[in-house]
Amino acid sequence: MSTTGANADPLAALGSLPGVAESVESVRKAVDRVYGHRVMRRRSTEITSEAALRGARGSAALSGADWGLEEVRRRTDFGGDGESHVMGAALRLTAEAGQLLSIWRQSPLRVLARLHLVAAASQGDEVGRPRQAGEKVDEPLIELPLPSAAEVSGRLEGLSELIIAGGSAPALVTAAVVHGELLALRPFTSHNGLVARTAERIVLVGSGLDPKSVCPAEVGHAELGRATYLAALDGYASGTPEGMAAWIAHCGRAVGLGARESTAVCEALQRGAA
């Protein structure tokens, strides 16, 4: 995403793209339905915990570890093979996200570095910092052209400036841009998808749209499917108004599906079935 030009608030400008206002309104209604459920008034902590687990499972599925929810729930060992490591990283990131909300608006690049450190769970020189020239990226499920390290640095700085400056853009728009930009850039040598989806969650929670983190967009992204996810990402990477609007709408649908998931959890708890 270009962050230069005459418009002082390019994120807000995206809110005027065709269909985006409708997506924003649809998301707001979906979120309001969850927060208005009678179970949320009494058992919101349980809903938050369940949403975190389901969100981590969804994010891991998009990064190649498509496990059943009950398997994620019962497993305690997330070392060893590649899928286990991905699932463990997703769970760690979900737990870490809530600790970083107060830092995000002041230092988003610091938060992103921390997220990569948590996901990688190693002490390699490439961990916890943007990749440097010549370093390879392990992100096989995303096949977009890989920007250079210099381009990554410049665009990350631009994204950081927009977040710190704030503005009038709806939370959905900001979250979608953060998510899309990180996927397009793949600024780290690994775990970029997991980091991008966690950053989206941080924006949605920190903005006040979903303050209790009960509308896991990761669930929706996984439900919509990897092919749809990647096709929408292609639209974001194109930089065209139509492509950007389609990506924002896709993210809106994902949040709406996450809200629906937690509504179902509320109803199950109400029936005494969960």
Side-chain angles (χ1 to χ4, degrees):
M1 176 188 176
S2 173
T3 58
T4 60
N7 194 327
D9 192 353
L11 293 180
L14 293 176
S16 65
L17 291 175
V20 170
E22 291 82 353
S23 295
V24 169
E25 181 61 20
S26 177
V27 165
R28 169 53 66 190
K29 289 179 178 178
V31 172
D32 286 348
R33 281 194 292 272
V34 180
Y35 279 83
H37 198 286
R38 61 189 303 178
V39 170
M40 274 293 294
R41 293 193 288 272
R42 296 179 288 110
R43 304 175 72 174
S44 64
T45 301
E46 293 173 67
I47 307 303
T48 296
S49 296
E50 187 65 18
L53 184 70
R54 294 178 185 225
R57 193 216 71 82
S59 189
L62 289 168
S63 287
D66 193 359
W67 292 9
L69 182 62
E70 294 310 312
E71 183 176 4
V72 180
R73 202 187 300 280
R74 69 175 177 80
R75 287 282 290 268
T76 57
D77 177 18
F78 296 100
D81 66 272
E83 286 194 9
S84 295
H85 181 79
V86 168
M87 186 61 69
L91 290 166
R92 290 192 301 273
L93 286 172
T94 298
E96 187 75 10
Q99 311 301 313
L100 299 172
L101 292 171
S102 62
I103 304 172
W104 174 257
R105 285 294 297 272
Q106 285 75 43
S107 185
L109 297 185
R110 179 182 165 195
V111 168
L112 294 174
R114 174 63 185 170
L115 292 177
H116 186 244
L117 185 66
V118 168
S122 71
Q123 299 298 319
D125 290 342
E126 76 283 0
V127 173
R129 61 156 175 79
R131 56 185 168 85
Q132 298 175 356
E135 290 182 329
K136 295 183 179 180
V137 175
D138 181 13
E139 204 75 40
L141 301 179
I142 299 177
E143 299 179 351
L144 293 172
L146 190 66
S148 69
E151 182 178 352
V152 166
S153 178
R155 286 172 62 173
L156 281 179
E157 285 293 338
L159 183 64
S160 176
E161 289 169 5
L162 286 176
I163 293 166
I164 292 170
S168 59
L172 172 64
V173 172
T174 302
V177 168
V178 168
H179 184 173
E181 192 73 351
L182 293 174
L183 285 178
L185 292 177
R186 281 145 293 162
F188 302 107
T189 57
S190 63
H191 300 93
N192 290 286
L194 295 175
V195 169
R197 290 183 288 275
T198 305
E200 179 185 46
R201 173 185 286 264
I202 288 173
V203 174
L204 293 170
V205 174
S207 66
L209 176 64
D210 179 22
K212 294 183 183 294
S213 193
V214 295
C215 302
E218 305 96 324
V219 167
H221 288 303
E223 183 174 336
L224 290 166
R226 188 181 299 157
T228 301
Y229 183 68
L230 296 178
L233 177 62
D234 284 344
Y236 177 87
S238 74
T240 65
E242 296 79 11
M244 297 290 285
W247 170 251
I248 294 168
H250 173 85
C251 291
R253 287 192 293 274
V255 177
L257 289 169
R260 187 183 70 178
E261 183 90 351
S262 286
T263 299
V265 172
C266 286
E267 291 173 354
L269 287 172
Q270 186 169 284
R271 293 191 303 269

